[in-house]
């Protein structure tokens, strides 16, 4: 993360000091002091960047508490302790498995295009970090129906194998320490998934989809005629608390993905905020028009859907585009919920609809609205990198992002196969 210190050459400085007897000694003294001061600046920058990265990691970890509160409020009171336990297991078991081999599969370099090959158990690597969001998404989808031992296996497999390999494909080939963490390498396609609309949200959503399909709907979710029956969560207060904690953590999730503080992370924070604002308000009035009443849980989910959508392109789009992203994501979530109801798909937290539907929209959105100047700023030294279709960049990025969606859905579906799940239930 640190840059090279500024250099000073005594041989270049000597002619400027004249031909005196002390000119050589003076030149060497000046250069020595200059390099010492330069090194101090480099050390300070490294310390500031490290502090920024750690603070961002703390914010992301706080999202685990947000997920726990959101899950607890969205389920019935009798299932609260079970869902709390699965959220604790997300962090405990997932973190251990990611430490053991997940980080190596994701970021172990040198590696091939499919999988990382080094840093198992963080051997010879000193800067580990972990993204807890993926397993948390899945836990919501299968809430109220899953024994915690089965979920322990499911979560560990997801965070230790499935997610790391996807992140290896769509983020960095040089490992976590790469200057451009979000750089895509799959087929050299130029996919832009900066903080993970696909790598994080869509992966968790597809895993949750299969878990919920295998478990089937909760008892009483649909009546004998096939009509949906609302099974309301027991605490809107916990839902709102969890939503605000997730909102707070998202500022570590998105701007923190720059890894160092020297880049233009301010724009990323602005676009993240605007997408969430717009999605929340659109959901509020959209559901009021469709259902005839206000619902705080719907608004909270709409807000989170806006965040999930903007995550992939938060660093490469204008603020006005983020507003559009949030507006569309709200309707995507509403539509996905309607479809899930018609198909008798039961997801207590709307996790698959939110993270899968809005995450997929976010991937497409980035391919349409990524701005050339921002792409070149975030990914320097990569001339000719594709940018948004509506910003004059052609359809190359859109095609690559469609491939990304298909690849993620296929990979997670194959690895989260039914047989593996049933062996533990």
């Amino acid at each position: 993360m640190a840059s090279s210190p500024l250099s000073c050459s005594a041989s270049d400085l000597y002619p400027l000091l004249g031909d005196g007897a002390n000119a050589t000694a003076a030149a060497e003294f000046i250069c020595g002091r200059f390099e010492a001061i330069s090194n101090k600046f480099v050390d300070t920058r490294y310390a500031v960047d490290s502090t920024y990265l750690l603070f961002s990691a703390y914010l992301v970890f706080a999202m685990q508490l947000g997920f726990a509160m959101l899950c607890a409020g969205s389920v019935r009171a009798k299932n609260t302790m079970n869902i709390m336990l699965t959220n604790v297991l997300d962090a405990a078991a997932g973190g251990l498995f990611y430490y053991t081999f997940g980080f190596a599969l994701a970021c172990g370099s040198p590696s091939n295009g499919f999988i990382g090959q080094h840093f198992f158990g963080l051997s010879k690597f000193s800067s580990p970090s972990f993204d807890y969001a993926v397993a948390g998404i899945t836990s919501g989808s299968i809430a109220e129906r899953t024994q915690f031992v089965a979920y322990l296996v499911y979560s560990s497999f997801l965070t230790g194998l499935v997610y790391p390999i996807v992140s290896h494909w769509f983020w960095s080939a040089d490992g976590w320490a790469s200057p451009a963490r979000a750089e895509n390498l799959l087929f050299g396609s130029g996919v832009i998934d900066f903080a993970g609309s696909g790598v994080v949200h869509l992966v968790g959503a597809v895993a949750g989809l299969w878990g919920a399909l295998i478990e089937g709907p909760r008892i009483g979710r649909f009546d004998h005629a096939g009509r949906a029956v609302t099974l309301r969560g027991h605490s809107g207060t916990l839902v709102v608390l969890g939503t605000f904690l997730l909102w707070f953590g998202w500022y570590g999730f998105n701007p923190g993905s720059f890894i160092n503080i020297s880049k233009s992370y301010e724009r990323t924070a602005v676009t993240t905020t605007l997408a969430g604002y717009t999605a929340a308000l659109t959901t509020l009035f959209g559901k009021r028009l469709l259902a005839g009443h206000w619902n705080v849980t719907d608004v909270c989910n709409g807000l989170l859907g806006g965040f999930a959508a903007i995550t992939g392109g938060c660093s490469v789009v204008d603020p006005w585009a983020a507003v559009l992203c949030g507006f569309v994501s709200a309707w995507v979530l509403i539509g996905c919920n309607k479809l899930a109801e018609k198909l008798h798909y039961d997801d207590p937290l709307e996790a698959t609809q939110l993270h899968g539907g809005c995450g997929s929209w976010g991937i497409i959105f980035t391919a349409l609205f990524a701005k050339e100047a921002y792409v070149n700023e975030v990914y320097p030294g990569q001339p000719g990198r594709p940018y948004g279709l509506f910003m004059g960049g052609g359809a190359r990025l859109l095609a690559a992002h469609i491939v990304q969606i298909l690849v993620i859905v296929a990979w997670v579906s194959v690895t989260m196969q039914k047989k593996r799940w049933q062996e533990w239930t």
Side-chain angles (χ1 to χ4, degrees):
M1 288 185 293
S3 60
S4 300
L6 298 174
S7 61
C8 176
S9 172
S11 61
D12 292 338
L13 188 60
Y14 173 76
L16 302 176
L17 299 176
D19 297 327
N22 295 325
T24 301
E28 292 177 351
F29 174 79
I30 292 172
C31 283
R33 300 302 298 172
F34 180 85
E35 290 174 359
I37 294 172
S38 177
N39 287 332
K40 289 291 185 181
F41 279 114
V42 170
D43 292 343
T44 301
R45 178 178 176 179
Y46 181 83
V48 171
D49 286 344
S50 297
T51 301
Y52 174 73
L53 176 59
L54 287 172
F55 181 71
S56 297
Y58 302 151
L59 289 178
V60 172
F61 186 78
M63 296 178 80
Q64 190 70 18
L65 177 58
F67 275 120
M69 297 298 99
L70 184 67
C71 289
S74 298
V75 301
R76 290 165 290 179
K78 65 179 182 178
N79 295 306
T80 303
M81 295 305 295
N82 182 272
I83 197 66
M84 287 288 94
L85 181 57
T86 61
N87 273 271
V88 173
L89 292 177
D90 285 342
L96 182 61
F97 275 80
Y98 198 85
Y99 158 79
T100 306
F101 44 81
F103 183 86
L105 300 179
C107 302
S109 62
S111 62
N112 56 49
F114 178 75
I115 196 170
Q117 299 173 318
H118 300 276
F119 306 144
F120 288 95
L122 295 181
S123 175
K124 300 180 181 180
F125 189 86
S126 59
S127 301
S129 185
F130 175 59
D131 191 340
Y132 291 87
V134 179
I137 294 169
T138 307
S139 70
S141 295
I142 54 181
E144 300 197 282
R145 290 160 289 173
T146 312
Q147 296 179 357
F148 74 87
V149 175
Y151 180 74
L152 173 62
V153 177
Y154 199 65
S155 173
S156 301
F157 184 69
L158 177 63
T159 55
L161 177 64
V162 179
Y163 161 73
I165 292 179
V166 174
S167 63
H168 180 78
W169 292 344
F170 291 104
W171 275 347
S172 171
D174 301 324
W176 190 269
S178 169
R181 166 179 171 252
E183 178 183 345
N184 164 262
L185 301 174
L186 185 67
F187 311 128
S189 60
V191 165
I192 299 173
D193 192 7
F194 181 71
S197 286
V199 173
V200 176
H201 295 285
L202 185 56
V203 168
V206 176
L209 169 68
W210 284 107
L213 287 175
I214 292 166
E215 287 288 340
R218 291 168 291 173
I219 297 175
R221 179 65 178 89
F222 299 97
D223 63 20
H224 295 294
R227 292 185 296 265
V229 177
T230 301
L231 301 178
R232 297 192 182 280
H234 81 284
S235 176
T237 302
L238 290 178
V239 171
V240 172
L241 175 61
T243 299
F244 274 107
L245 285 169
L246 288 169
W247 188 343
F248 181 62
W250 233 291
Y251 293 116
F253 197 95
N254 285 4
S257 292
F258 275 115
I259 293 190
N260 59 63
I261 201 170
S262 61
K263 293 192 177 181
S264 300
Y265 59 87
E266 297 94 343
R267 181 179 62 249
T268 302
V270 170
T271 56
T272 299
T273 303
L274 288 174
Y277 283 167
T278 308
L281 292 174
T282 304
T283 304
L284 174 68
F285 292 105
K287 292 290 288 187
R288 178 67 173 82
L289 291 173
L290 294 174
H293 58 82
W294 313 101
N295 189 309
V296 66
T297 301
D298 289 338
V299 174
C300 288
N301 284 337
L303 176 80
L304 297 177
F307 288 150
I310 196 63
T311 295
C314 55
S315 63
V316 295
V317 299
D318 281 314
W320 65 263
V323 172
L324 178 61
C325 176
F327 177 80
V328 175
S329 71
W331 291 107
V332 168
L333 178 58
I334 291 172
C336 287
N337 284 332
K338 289 290 185 182
L339 179 62
E341 198 171 280
K342 287 185 177 297
L343 297 177
H344 288 190
Y345 173 77
D346 182 22
D347 186 332
L349 272 78
E350 302 176 7
T352 296
Q353 301 94 297
L354 192 160
H355 298 278
C358 296
S360 296
W361 155 241
I363 295 171
I364 299 299
F365 160 79
T366 304
L368 300 177
F369 292 97
K371 191 173 180 178
E372 182 181 16
Y374 297 157
V375 171
N376 291 333
E377 176 188 351
V378 176
Y379 305 101
Q382 301 178 38
R385 190 180 179 100
Y387 55 98
L389 173 64
F390 293 164
M391 309 304 288
R396 178 183 166 195
L397 185 59
L398 178 60
H401 280 207
I402 292 173
V403 171
Q404 180 193 10
I405 294 173
L406 296 176
V407 166
I408 289 176
V409 171
W411 168 253
V412 180
S413 296
V414 169
T415 51
M416 290 295 175
Q417 57 184 292
K418 183 175 180 179
K419 179 179 179 181
R420 187 183 302 278
W421 176 254
Q422 286 182 325
E423 287 175 352
W424 293 92
T425 56

